């Protein structure tokens, strides 16, 4: 148990610290790297509560794909981040005020939070039982049956996102020389080479 | 086990989804030269979906474990959406070719948006609500920026995307609070829960969640104070896209608004009624006042649509069967008026370029008397002058408000429509009494003309057989509130 508690505090501490670093690092590339660190620690927390599938997905999708994509975008776009940060102090008072109001409201809501007594039993005896079915299996079982509608709907959303990206950015540029393999193969020596007889010692 | 029979209620959606993907394949393999056939097949597919919808429909059914619901209400709204979407595709065919932005993705994206709207109308769960909404919005962001070489169109798309993402965030935040406090996302579960509360009010968290949900939905129907994106997006997007934005997504979002508030949250009417009343008043007043200073016709129509949403929300604030019936009738008439008006805007083309100034309409009565007559009828109807259809839309709404004792709302509504009449009548004055400007090119395609004539006739002769629309709206409203 003590190891679990220790790793919980370790993961949470590093996750929060790196989250702070994401917004305070001067160099945007460092920010993205800290973001990846935060994802890994969050994944560690998921492993601790026994949700290994979500933990792995977090590493693969967020750590692997999303964060690397961010990294590329940050490196390739020529954005002056110092310029973006200008005016930060200027907006701090009003932004801080809004933040404090929101926080107070959230605390008020949190105060009225009631946990239904039934939840405790559900939590201690999850269905399907955790020692019989791995949670990857359990998610798969409901994702493709009970939630098939939402799963397919989400698939449609992704398809539209893909079409949208292509529609808005793909351009047929003129003057691009593409490789035409059939033309290359069909080339015969007679079309390409001219044989000249050169008399020795006289030049062409 | 999922059997084929259980999928029957969702058959129209399944047909639509398959057609979308098949048309996408056709377009990809045949290239942009296939735009015209793809567009017409898309229109045909929408008609087929409508027929399937009518033949499958019988009473109230759920599918996919209660995440999806069909009833007469969904049926009515889906028909309006089909009409709006197919008109948007037909109107775009010639326009896109003239502006050399004809690409096969346009009809495909409109179909995807229609699918999203169908999912919204049939949502019976907070998650399916969100998935449908997102499918619709994502397609709309792309078609808003469809003329990607124009700065204004790209700006419209980007602005819509950023603000839309923000509103989706608010909506999701609301949903998560509701789920956190209620422990369920299903509408039936929520309804049972709230009925079980008896006299005690729900917890603060639920109310906050509900308010966030309303804010997110109000953004999608562009009600004040979440309307800021509307004029810019309407102005920047290509005209057929604007016509589409003005009708189909609004109808779908209003349907969602009605279903969420009268369904699961129906018992909590005391909690949300005041919010809706406020939004409604603000939309009507802003729609009436801000439109007066516009000189671009698309911006003017944007403010006019904000005003119309305000009137429609009066019916929701009433929360009664009469109120819901009023909204349904109003949205049907609103669809016809807006599609017709946008056909007229499409005709505003001079020396092969679109013009959008209201002053460009000057003297239209002399150069193109029939077009001017149609636009005049539509404008009179928008202003709510009897005996045209627009009057009846407002009549049913205001009657419902008075029946439920919302006198202030009804009075403000009448005052706002009187102020609003000014700018509608101003257009008519410019067309009939101002010195003629240069004539427009006569490039309106035959199909667009047919739509214009059809909608104008509907608006003019609605008075003869109002029972066709009103009757089905009444059954739809009754079924929605009975469940």
């Amino acid at each position: 148990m003590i190891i679990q508690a220790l790793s919980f505090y370790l993961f949470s501490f590093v996750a929060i610290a790196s989250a702070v670093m994401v917004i305070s690092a001067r160099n945007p590339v460092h920010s993205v790297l800290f973001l990846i660190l935060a994802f890994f620690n969050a994944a560690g927390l998921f492993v601790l509560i026994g949700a290994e599938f979500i933990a792995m997905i977090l590493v693969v999708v967020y750590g692997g794909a999303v964060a690397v994509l961010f990294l590329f975008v940050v490196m390739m776009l020529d954005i002056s981040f110092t310029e973006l940060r200008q005016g930060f102090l200027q907006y701090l008072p009003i932004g801080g005020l809004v933040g404090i109001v929101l926080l107070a409201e959230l605390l008020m809501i949190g105060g009225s939070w009631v946990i239904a007594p039934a939840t405790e039993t559900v939590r201690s005896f999850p269905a399907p039982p955790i020692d019989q079915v791995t949670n990857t299996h359990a998610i798969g079982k409901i994702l493709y049956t009970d939630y098939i509608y939402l799963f397919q709907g989400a698939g449609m959303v992704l398809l539209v996102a893909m079409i949208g990206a292509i529609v808005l950015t793909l351009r047929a540029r003129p003057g691009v020389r593409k490789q035409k393999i059939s033309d290359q193969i069909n080339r015969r020596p007679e079309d390409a080479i001219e044989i000249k007889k050169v008399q020795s010692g006289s030049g062409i | 086990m999922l059997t084929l029979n259980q999928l029957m209620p969702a058959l129209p959606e399944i047909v639509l989804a398959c057609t979308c993907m098949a048309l996408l394949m056709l377009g990809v393999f045949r290239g942009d030269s296939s735009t015209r056939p793809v567009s017409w097949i898309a229109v045909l597919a929408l008609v087929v979906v409508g027929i399937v919808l009518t033949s499958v429909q019988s009473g109230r059914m759920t599918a996919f474990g209660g995440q999806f619901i069909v009833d007469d209400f969904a049926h009515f709204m889906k028909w309006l959406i089909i009409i709006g979407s197919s008109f948007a595709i037909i109107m775009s065919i010639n326009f896109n070719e003239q502006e050399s932005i004809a690409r096969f993705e346009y009809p495909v994206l409109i179909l995807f948006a229609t699918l999203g709207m169908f999912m919204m109308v049939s949502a019976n769960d907070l998650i399916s609500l969100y998935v449908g909404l997102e499918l619709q919005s994502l397609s709309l962001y792309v078609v808003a920026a469809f003329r990607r070489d124009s700065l204004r169109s790209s700006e419209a798309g980007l602005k819509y995307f950023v603000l839309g993402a923000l509103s989706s965030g608010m909506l999701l935040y609301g949903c998560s609070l509701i789920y956190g406090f209620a422990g369920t996302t299903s509408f039936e579960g929520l309804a049972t829960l709230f009925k079980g509360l008896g006299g005690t009010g729900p917890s603060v968290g639920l109310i906050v969640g509900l308010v966030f949900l309303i804010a997110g939905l109000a953004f999608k129907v562009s009600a004040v104070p979440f309307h800021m994106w509307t004029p810019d997006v309407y102005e920047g997007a290509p005209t057929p896209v604007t016509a589409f934005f003005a009708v189909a997504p609004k109808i779908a979002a209003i349907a969602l608004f009605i279903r969420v508030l009268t369904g699961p949250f129906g018992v909590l009417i005391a909690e949300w009624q005041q919010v809706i009343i406020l939004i409604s008043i603000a939309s009507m007043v802003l729609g009436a006042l801000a439109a007066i200073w516009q000189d671009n016709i698309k911006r003017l129509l944007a403010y006019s649509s904000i005003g119309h949403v305000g009137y429609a929300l009066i019916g929701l604030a009433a929360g009664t069967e009469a109120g819901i019936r009023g909204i349904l009738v109003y949205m049907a008439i609103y669809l016809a008026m807006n599609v017709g008006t946008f056909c007229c805007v499409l005709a505003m083309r001079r020396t092969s370029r679109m013009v959008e100034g209201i002053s460009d309409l000057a003297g239209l009565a002399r150069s193109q008397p029939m077009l001017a007559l149609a636009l005049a009828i539509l404008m009179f109807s928008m202003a709510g002058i009897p005996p045209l259809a627009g009057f009846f839309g407002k009549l049913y709404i205001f009657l419902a408000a008075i029946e439920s004792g919302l006198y202030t709302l009804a009075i403000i509504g009448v005052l706002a429509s009187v102020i609003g009449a000014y700018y509608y009548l101003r257009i008519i004055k410019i067309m009939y009494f101002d010195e003629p400007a240069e004539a427009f090119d006569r490039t309106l395609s035959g199909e667009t003309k047919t739509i214009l004539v059809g909608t104008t006739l509907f608006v003019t002769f609605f008075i003869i057989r109002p029972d066709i629309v009103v009757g089905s709206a009444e059954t739809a409203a009754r079924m929605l509130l009975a469940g």
Side-chain angles (χ1 to χ4, degrees):
Chain A
M1 279 324 270
I2 185 98
I3 296 175
Q4 261 202 6
L6 274 180
S7 18
F8 171 76
Y9 285 113
L10 179 73
F11 284 138
S12 344
F13 176 75
V14 179
I16 294 172
S18 45
V20 171
M21 286 308 287
V22 172
I23 51 171
S24 59
R26 285 203 163 273
N27 187 333
V29 178
H30 292 176
S31 290
V32 179
L33 292 174
F34 275 115
L35 189 68
I36 299 178
L37 185 61
F39 286 148
F40 270 87
N41 281 285
L45 288 173
F46 276 122
V47 171
L48 280 184
I49 57 169
E52 69 271 0
F53 179 73
I54 298 180
M56 290 311 131
I57 285 291
L58 200 66
V59 171
V60 172
V61 176
Y62 282 87
V66 176
V68 171
L69 202 69
F70 272 171
L71 206 57
F72 270 103
V73 170
V74 165
M75 287 200 228
M76 289 195 167
L77 285 185
D78 186 22
I79 300 173
S80 159
F81 282 87
T82 41
E83 219 169 84
L84 279 182
R85 286 224 186 83
Q86 272 172 6
F88 177 70
L89 278 180
Q90 189 190 337
Y91 295 121
L92 189 63
I94 185 122
L97 188 71
V98 172
I100 289 171
V101 169
L102 268 180
L103 185 69
E105 284 173 352
L106 279 180
L107 288 179
M108 267 167 59
I109 300 168
S112 62
W113 199 284
V114 206
I115 291 176
T119 16
E120 197 48 42
T121 39
V122 174
R123 213 169 70 88
S124 17
F125 302 102
I130 218 160
D131 50 345
Q132 288 168 26
V133 183
T134 65
N135 62 46
T136 316
H137 203 136
I139 290 176
K141 265 189 175 165
I142 55 165
L143 190 60
Y144 302 110
T145 53
D146 294 357
Y147 292 98
I148 182 74
Y149 175 60
L150 304 173
F151 184 72
Q152 294 292 339
M156 285 289 168
V157 173
L158 288 179
L159 179 62
V160 168
M162 194 183 79
I163 300 172
I166 294 174
V167 167
L168 295 181
T169 55
L170 183 73
R171 280 158 206 277
R173 268 178 298 177
V176 179
R177 298 170 74 93
K178 282 190 185 148
Q179 188 177 21
K180 288 183 190 145
I181 295 179
S182 59
D183 284 8
Q184 287 179 344
I185 293 173
N186 286 333
R187 230 164 110 99
R188 287 169 305 162
E190 299 87 79
D191 307 334
I193 312 171
E194 194 181 342
I195 298 172
K196 292 244 167 146
K197 277 257 184 271
V198 181
Q199 294 281 321
S200 55
S202 67
I204 303 173
Chain B
M1 224 16 232
L2 206 61
T3 59
L4 214 53
N5 245 349
Q6 285 169 295
L7 291 178
M8 280 308 277
L11 193 63
E13 281 76 8
I14 295 172
V15 171
L16 191 54
C18 294
T19 326
C20 286
M21 289 182 280
L23 282 179
L24 186 64
M25 283 293 114
L26 181 70
V28 168
F29 283 110
R30 304 295 299 275
D32 282 335
S33 58
S34 64
T35 307
R36 209 168 250 275
V38 168
S39 303
W40 281 114
I41 299 173
V43 174
L44 185 73
L46 284 171
V47 175
V48 171
V49 166
I51 294 167
V52 173
L53 192 68
T54 318
S55 57
V56 164
Q57 172 70 23
S58 64
R60 187 192 180 85
M61 287 184 293
T62 58
F64 300 110
Q67 288 158 355
F68 182 91
I69 187 168
V70 276
D71 49 16
D72 278 351
F73 173 73
H75 187 203
F76 187 89
M77 285 306 199
K78 280 178 186 173
W79 260 111
L80 293 188
I81 292 168
I82 287 178
I83 295 170
S85 300
S86 40
F87 282 179
I89 295 178
I90 297 173
M91 282 159 72
S92 76
I93 297 176
N94 258 32
F95 177 86
N96 284 2
E97 278 170 9
Q98 283 162 352
E99 301 282 310
S100 54
I101 49 168
R103 304 180 61 189
F104 73 89
E105 287 97 341
Y106 178 84
V108 174
L109 283 169
I110 298 272
L111 282 193
F112 271 114
T114 312
L115 178 65
M117 291 173 215
F118 273 30
M119 291 171 71
M120 283 160 75
V121 172
S122 282
N124 199 30
D125 188 292
L126 288 175
I127 311 177
S128 40
L129 176 161
Y130 177 70
V131 171
L133 196 70
E134 222 33 35
L135 181 57
Q136 176 237 30
S137 314
L138 213 55
S139 320
L140 296 187
Y141 304 147
V142 181
V143 287
F146 204 75
R147 195 191 298 176
R148 58 186 189 182
D149 296 318
S150 134
L151 194 63
R152 283 199 354 229
S153 178
S154 314
E155 183 200 326
L158 193 64
K159 209 171 245 176
Y160 195 18
F161 175 63
V162 172
L163 291 174
L166 184 75
S167 82
S168 292
M170 286 198 285
L171 188 115
L172 272 184
Y173 186 56
C175 291
S176 72
L177 276 177
I178 293 169
Y179 177 58
F181 279 90
T184 176
T185 56
S186 119
F187 285 179
E188 270 125 28
L190 287 170
T192 335
L193 184 83
F194 295 138
K195 277 189 192 118
L197 282 176
T200 58
S203 58
V204 191
L206 267 173
I207 302 298
V208 174
L210 177 60
V211 171
F212 271 102
L213 189 68
I214 292 177
L217 289 176
F219 177 92
K220 299 293 177 195
V221 293
S222 73
V224 179
F226 306 99
H227 64 284
M228 288 81 79
W229 57 277
T230 324
D232 293 337
V233 172
Y234 277 39
E235 190 189 352
T239 308
V241 174
T242 313
F244 181 58
F245 281 7
V247 291
K250 283 233 162 117
I251 291 170
I254 284 271
L256 195 56
F257 226 142
I258 298 172
R259 187 177 296 283
V260 171
L261 290 188
T262 59
F265 296 100
V267 195
L268 304 182
I269 182 163
E271 316 287 343
W272 53 258
Q273 197 179 29
Q274 42 192 333
V275 181
I276 298 295
I277 290 178
L278 192 75
I279 291 179
S280 161
I281 291 178
S283 307
M284 288 186 299
V285 172
L286 186 115
L289 294 181
I292 294 176
W293 289 279
Q294 302 304 324
D295 43 20
N296 179 304
I297 186 130
K298 278 157 87 180
R299 282 187 91 82
L300 182 132
L301 287 170
Y303 282 107
S304 132
S305 84
I306 293 174
H308 283 302
V309 165
Y311 298 119
L313 288 178
I314 295 181
L316 183 58
T320 54
E321 194 183 304
I324 306 295
R325 184 192 64 183
I327 302 180
L328 297 183
V329 175
Y330 198 91
M331 287 328 275
I333 293 169
Y334 169 84
L335 171 80
M337 294 189 303
N338 260 287
V339 168
T341 312
F342 275 102
C343 286
C344 298
V345 176
L346 276 179
M348 294 171 64
R349 174 182 280 277
R350 192 173 284 154
T351 56
S352 335
R353 284 188 57 237
M354 295 299 294
V355 286
E356 290 169 0
I358 292 174
S359 52
D360 290 316
L361 286 168
L364 187 65
R366 260 168 277 177
S367 53
Q368 273 169 286
M370 289 317 284
L371 184 66
L373 179 68
L375 189 54
I377 290 175
L378 291 165
M379 286 297 129
F380 274 126
S381 170
M382 286 238 195
I385 289 167
L388 299 169
F391 167 74
F392 290 96
K394 289 202 170 84
L395 179 73
Y396 284 115
I397 293 270
F398 291 146
L399 280 181
I402 289 169
E403 268 174 34
S404 336
L406 300 169
Y407 299 110
T408 339
L409 203 51
I411 290 168
I412 294 178
V414 172
L415 288 180
S417 61
V418 171
I419 301 172
Y422 164 76
Y423 60 82
Y424 295 124
L425 297 182
R426 189 169 69 116
I427 294 181
I428 300 174
K429 177 234 157 203
I430 288 175
M431 286 193 304
Y432 279 86
F433 302 112
D434 278 14
E435 274 309 302
E438 215 180 314
F440 292 136
D441 302 348
R442 290 174 180 266
T443 51
L444 212 56
S445 70
E447 302 92 51
T448 316
K449 273 184 200 152
T450 319
I451 296 178
L452 178 57
V453 172
T455 48
T456 314
L457 289 180
F458 173 80
V459 167
T460 318
F461 296 111
F462 179 80
I463 185 169
I464 297 175
R465 291 292 303 276
D467 52 303
I468 303 173
V469 176
V470 178
S472 46
E474 196 159 345
T475 23
R478 192 178 307 128
M479 188 175 249
L480 180 77
L481 290 182

